[in-house]
Amino acid sequence: MKIEVKDPSTGVLLHLQAKPESFNGMHGYRILHENGSGFLIVNRSGKWQSADDHHVDADFLVNIGLALEGRGLDEQIVHNKQ
């Protein structure tokens, strides 16, 4: 599935691909960037986490989770730079 996710540090809208994947008996998603690089995330106790030891910013994970849940872009985190 295609998802739109804001980069929390810049507010830039990213177009990512999310493919369902199982990991150690848990349901997760392989998140793929347009350049083909990616990482696996799973939802553990209501919190999205990287599952393949790939470092991912916590707020970026929140934004990806919101997109996967079908929530609006207006709910995604963006840090205001001043």
Side-chain angles (χ1 to χ4, degrees):
M1 92 176 75
K2 293 180 182 180
I3 58 173
E4 294 183 321
V5 179
K6 290 181 184 177
D7 179 324
S9 63
T10 64
V12 170
L13 187 61
L14 304 172
H15 300 275
L16 307 175
Q17 190 71 240
K19 295 186 176 189
E21 188 172 316
S22 292
F23 178 77
N24 291 336
M26 293 182 289
H27 174 71
Y29 287 92
R30 174 75 48 191
I31 306 300
L32 300 168
H33 293 278
E34 292 176 355
N35 67 6
S37 67
F39 53 92
L40 181 67
I41 65 170
V42 295
N43 190 318
R44 292 184 182 141
S45 303
K47 183 178 178 184
W48 290 99
Q49 300 175 358
S50 175
D52 57 5
D53 296 325
H54 185 95
H55 174 73
V56 182
D57 177 78
D59 290 338
F60 190 47
L61 285 172
V62 169
N63 286 356
I64 292 169
L66 290 169
L68 289 170
E69 295 165 5
R71 308 280 284 278
L73 287 170
D74 61 326
E75 294 184 55
Q76 293 188 18
I77 299 167
V78 175
H79 302 288
N80 293 325
K81 291 188 172 188
Q82 297 187 18

